[in-house]
Amino acid sequence: MTITTLATLAADLKDGKRSSVEITQDYLERIEHSQHNAFISTNADFALAQAKAADAKRASGDTTQLLGVPVAQKDIFCIEGTQTTCGSKILENFIAPYTATVVENMHSHGVVSLGKTNMDEFAMGSSNETSYYGSVTNPWRSVGRGSAQDPLVPGGSSGGSAAAVAAQLAPAATGTDTGGSIRQPAAFCNLTGLKPSYGRCSRYGMIAFASSLDQAGPMTHTAEDAALLLNSMAGFDTKDATSLDIPTEDFTASLNHSLEGLKIGLPKEFFGAGLDSEMAAIIETAVKQFEALGATVKEVSLPNSHLALPSYYVIAPAEASSNLSRFDGVRYGQRAAEYSDLVDMYTKTRSEGFGNEVKRRIMIGAYALSSGYYDAYYSQALKLRRLISNDFDAAFAECDVIMGPTTPSPAFAMNSKSDDPTEMYLNDIFTIPANLAGLPAGSIPAGFTQAGLPTGLHLITPYLQEAKLLNIAHKFQQETDWHLQAPPPADGALNSNLGGKH
Ligand code: GLN
């Protein structure tokens, strides 16, 4: 099956080859017949009404580039009048009263919202296995291979978005990335994923996990599509105090710039023990490809990168424990059916409504912030964050882009890490530093392991240099076709018991 990109659909719409209603209908049917459990909900009436409106606008002369193109939305974004669960039982019945700014921005560009994609509960996870709405299968291996090999996870927390795009249930999707949740699933599912600079996309209406780290971004097949979608998502928003008041940029403008003289930095810390050897070889080959395009390569160092994981796993839970205190059975979503008094109501609502990983994070965060421990944990973690950020400043004095693997290993089997949180957290070892430093970072397809699994090349550029990152990714994609590979059709009976609620 050939890959359909946003750019192709936009061209088809422009040339009048297909209407938005036809395209939207087609994707809605695919979603209905798919077995990956990639969506938590779809709202066909809503999507088709948007598509109809887009067709009418085009007929009246509107030439907005993404007008009528459908996109899947991670279920962390509020869309007025539609169910928004964030992968949690506690928000099962929550109907958003307003729309997230990034979605609003996309809608004003004429983008059609196809439905809400599955995700780890409150975006906490790396495998999509913490979703209350069931696990998602990775289209690259969605069926078990004998009793010892379960289907593969799509990564997380934006696992539903990744599976949806890889299986062509949507041409592109939104994701959010607090510690790697766009890039790791993009790497596991052979996609292009971009976490923009902190502040580039508004967080208003995006359910908060760790507010100083959360950032929305595009998950697409190509860098060109990522640029197109980011154009429609980004922008200053007075409703988010951390949103950047800077002029809007056209991220497609420099896609074709030459890479002659580009200085690539390879941090020695990203190529040490723990990295799958096959993947190391794939990354090395990709880097050679850049040399052929005129880039030079040198070793750089991020000496404090081993402190990123411990720092993140204090800061993110600390912020989460505070953010999630609003889910108390009073203002949003579920409330326990029976309780004796107010405190009992809070306790029962939260005990019943949150899953184990979310409870673990709340407890770690509350502990790290409590008096007597605050200085020992939270303020220490903030100091490490500063050191990690300083490392990037020093490295970027010597290079234009940092490259490495996105993940230490390819997609893993379902149930293989879900009982071991520290093993699961190690997935984010290469992605977390960029979140702590607020830098733009992306993952692009770089090749396949012998078992046929995708490998992601990780790119990090200086603050606000998304356009540069996309230029580097695009030039690579002009020379390679890894990103155009589609997963093999599922062979045989799909594991139909994966879709159930926990
Ligand atoms: N896997 C990481 C975590 O569980 C990152 C999640 C994310 O980026 N939302 O915290």
Side-chain angles (χ1 to χ4, degrees):
M1 200 175 182
T2 53
I3 295 291
T4 305
T5 63
L6 290 182
T8 312
L9 290 172
D12 284 356
L13 284 158
K14 181 169 173 249
D15 298 343
K17 285 195 188 144
R18 298 171 81 189
S19 70
S20 176
V21 168
E22 278 164 13
I23 293 169
T24 303
Q25 192 88 55
D26 178 22
Y27 281 110
L28 287 169
E29 270 161 35
R30 292 188 202 185
I31 294 167
E32 201 176 312
H33 296 118
S34 104
Q35 309 268 345
H36 298 295
N37 198 28
F39 285 78
I40 291 177
S41 61
T42 49
N43 187 334
D45 293 344
F46 184 88
L48 289 168
Q50 283 189 307
K52 229 174 151 175
D55 286 335
K57 276 195 180 163
R58 192 172 288 281
S60 69
D62 190 333
T63 57
T64 309
Q65 197 160 15
L66 293 183
L67 182 63
V69 172
V71 164
Q73 308 285 5
K74 185 175 181 179
D75 202 22
I76 197 167
F77 295 104
C78 290
I79 302 186
E80 187 181 345
T82 70
Q83 185 195 23
T84 300
T85 71
C86 217
S88 183
K89 180 184 180 193
I90 210 161
L91 288 176
E92 191 172 17
N93 302 325
F94 177 62
I95 305 294
Y98 58 86
T99 301
T101 299
V102 282
V103 176
E104 191 102 24
N105 288 348
M106 283 184 262
H107 288 174
S108 67
H109 279 77
V111 168
V112 171
S113 287
L114 273 177
K116 309 295 288 294
T117 57
N118 205 338
M119 55 180 286
D120 279 299
E121 186 179 8
F122 285 105
M124 298 172 192
S126 302
S127 65
N128 219 117
E129 292 169 292
T130 74
S131 169
Y132 173 66
Y133 303 90
S135 297
V136 175
T137 47
N138 186 327
W140 288 88
R141 199 175 87 204
S142 57
V143 291
R145 296 225 177 119
S147 56
Q149 276 188 301
D150 281 328
L152 299 179
V153 302
S157 64
S158 314
S161 289
V165 180
Q168 306 221 62
L169 310 177
T174 49
T176 61
D177 192 312
T178 304
S181 280
I182 287 176
R183 292 162 286 158
Q184 184 254 18
F188 279 13
C189 293
N190 204 46
L191 302 179
T192 299
L194 173 66
K195 180 201 88 68
S197 304
Y198 182 77
R200 183 70 91 169
C201 290
S202 167
R203 290 182 298 105
Y204 180 76
M206 179 174 113
I207 296 172
F209 163 12
S211 308
S212 75
L213 299 158
D214 298 342
Q215 197 39 219
M219 300 177 78
T220 55
H221 292 293
T222 65
E224 182 188 14
D225 279 5
L228 286 169
L229 198 56
L230 186 60
N231 275 352
S232 77
M233 298 170 74
F236 175 57
D237 180 15
T238 51
K239 298 196 209 87
D240 171 5
T242 60
S243 158
L244 293 168
D245 189 0
I246 49 173
T248 50
E249 251 180 77
D250 177 1
F251 297 102
T252 63
S254 50
L255 285 176
N256 285 306
H257 284 186
S258 159
L259 300 188
E260 197 63 52
L262 179 81
K263 286 184 265 167
I264 298 174
L266 300 179
K268 56 175 188 259
E269 294 80 4
F270 287 3
F271 292 88
L275 174 62
D276 178 285
S277 59
E278 254 191 284
M279 291 178 73
I282 290 171
I283 300 301
E284 223 170 88
T285 308
V287 170
K288 289 217 172 79
Q289 191 92 41
F290 283 104
E291 288 182 293
L293 288 169
T296 58
V297 178
K298 71 181 295 189
E299 187 179 278
V300 294
S301 179
L302 297 171
N304 293 295
S305 53
H306 64 291
L307 301 172
L309 211 62
S311 165
Y312 172 89
Y313 276 102
V314 170
I315 294 170
E319 295 186 22
S321 73
S322 162
N323 276 325
L324 270 58
S325 65
R326 76 192 65 178
F327 303 107
D328 56 5
V330 177
R331 288 168 292 177
Y332 308 93
Q334 304 271 5
R335 176 182 299 181
E338 283 171 36
Y339 48 87
S340 54
D341 56 23
L342 185 65
V343 172
D344 192 43
M345 190 280 281
Y346 289 154
T347 310
K348 289 216 171 92
T349 297
R350 289 167 67 82
S351 305
E352 292 166 13
F354 291 136
N356 286 341
E357 184 60 30
V358 173
K359 286 177 185 162
R360 179 180 295 121
R361 306 273 179 122
I362 292 173
M363 285 192 280
I364 293 172
Y367 180 81
L369 289 176
S370 57
S371 85
Y373 296 102
Y374 185 98
D375 286 338
Y377 294 103
Y378 186 66
S379 46
Q380 284 297 105
L382 291 183
K383 287 177 195 159
L384 300 184
R385 183 176 191 172
R386 167 56 59 193
L387 293 178
I388 288 155
S389 201
N390 292 348
D391 282 356
F392 278 110
D393 290 345
F396 283 127
E398 298 179 59
C399 65
D400 305 312
V401 58
I402 287 172
M403 292 191 188
T406 307
T407 58
S409 68
F412 48 89
M414 229 167 238
N415 303 315
S416 64
K417 299 189 185 203
S418 41
D419 290 337
D420 186 345
T422 42
E423 180 72 14
M424 190 67 89
Y425 297 167
L426 281 170
N427 265 284
D428 309 318
I429 194 155
F430 302 133
T431 48
I432 280 175
N435 299 81
L436 291 171
L439 301 174
S443 182
I444 57 172
F448 295 87
T449 63
Q450 294 214 325
L453 300 181
T455 295
L457 172 71
H458 194 206
L459 311 170
I460 309 174
T461 49
Y463 190 52
L464 297 180
Q465 292 194 18
E466 285 84 351
K468 182 89 193 163
L469 192 155
L470 290 164
N471 164 220
I472 295 166
H474 180 70
K475 292 301 267 188
F476 182 76
Q477 293 182 344
Q478 299 297 99
E479 302 295 319
T480 57
D481 66 357
W482 307 118
H483 61 294
L484 300 176
Q485 307 302 315
D491 48 349
L494 286 159
N495 211 337
S496 57
N497 60 0
L498 294 163
K501 288 176 186 171
H502 286 161

